[in-house]
Structures are given as C-alpha cells and as structure tokens.
Amino acid sequence: MTRMIFINLPVADLNRSIAFYEAVGAVKNPLFSDETAACMVVSDVIHVMLLTHAKWSTFTDRAIPDAHKSAQVLLCLSEDSRQAVDDATARAATAGGLADPTPTQDFGVMYGRSYADPDGHIWEVMWMDPAAAAQGAGALEPAGA
C-alpha cells in the first residue's frame, strides 16, 4: 500500500467545511464520511479528515485551540504555476476562507500565498521552479534582493 497522509482537522460546522474544501478542489469520499466526519481527498495520497468537535474529542482530551487566534501547524500544498497559486487562493476566498493570512512569499523561483479555511486552519499554496528546486535552498532569494 502506498504511504498516505491523513490530516485531521476539528471543524465547527461540518457541512460548511465540506462545501469549502470541495470549492478548493477536494472531493468527498463517502465511504469514510458520516454525520461526524468527512474524508476530503486532495490527491491520491493526501486526505483531510474534517471532524466535528465531538468526534475530535474521541481522539484526544486536549483542548481544541481557536485557529483564528493561534497556529499550531501551517499546511502547505504545491501547485504547478504561480497562476495556479493565485487561483487557489482566490477560490478559497470566494468559498468563505480568508486570503493571505500570512505574508506572500516571492523568491522569484518560488512563490507562495496562503488561505485560512472557515475554522482558521492555514493552508499555504506554493509553486517552485523545478530547475531551482533541483539546486536546493541556495537557489531561493527573495525577489528584488
């Protein structure tokens, strides 16, 4: 079996969150979804599990932080172009998310923006020139530097 990642996120309104993630390109997998959780397929190996607060609490007794006020993780997805980064951010904003809760990053050969979902979870969206990626971090310089 291919190694996969399942990102578990607590959400206040499951239906609103399903609609948001569908709007940014994820597909709901009904085989692993019910009234307490939804499995949103981002790619063959990336799945986002949206969990009601009640469902979340069955996995941990730790408090659910308010992601609008604090951040524990920044999730990052790659795109095929700078335009695709801008398009993803625009789709998220149109679907009820917040565009650019973190600063835009423009290193010339790498470009990134971000959005927050309705619960405040931050997703970074980035593009990197494949030739620059092959050179490693040394190829990354802020645009205009």
Side-chain angles (χ1 to χ4, degrees), residues 18-92:
I18 291 168
F20 175 83
Y21 281 88
E22 287 176 335
V24 296
V27 177
K28 182 180 170 187
N29 180 340
L31 295 176
F32 297 99
S33 301
D34 61 21
E35 66 281 350
T36 66
C39 177
M40 305 303 293
V41 179
V42 176
S43 76
D44 291 342
V45 296
I46 304 169
H47 298 74
V48 178
M49 294 298 301
L50 304 174
L51 307 171
T52 64
H53 288 199
K55 181 71 165 193
W56 176 271
S57 69
T58 67
F59 293 99
T60 181
D61 59 0
R62 292 186 179 192
I64 298 171
D66 181 347
H68 293 286
K69 296 179 181 176
S70 64
Q72 187 173 18
V73 297
L74 298 172
L75 306 159
C76 185
L77 295 172
S78 64
E79 287 289 351
D80 292 332
S81 68
R82 293 173 68 97
Q83 186 61 53
V85 168
D86 290 338
D87 293 346
T89 306
R91 282 193 311 275

Side-chain angles (χ1 to χ4, degrees), residues 95-111:
L98 173 66
D100 301 309
T102 62
T104 297
Q105 299 176 34
D106 191 346
F107 297 95
V109 296
M110 185 177 94
Y111 175 68

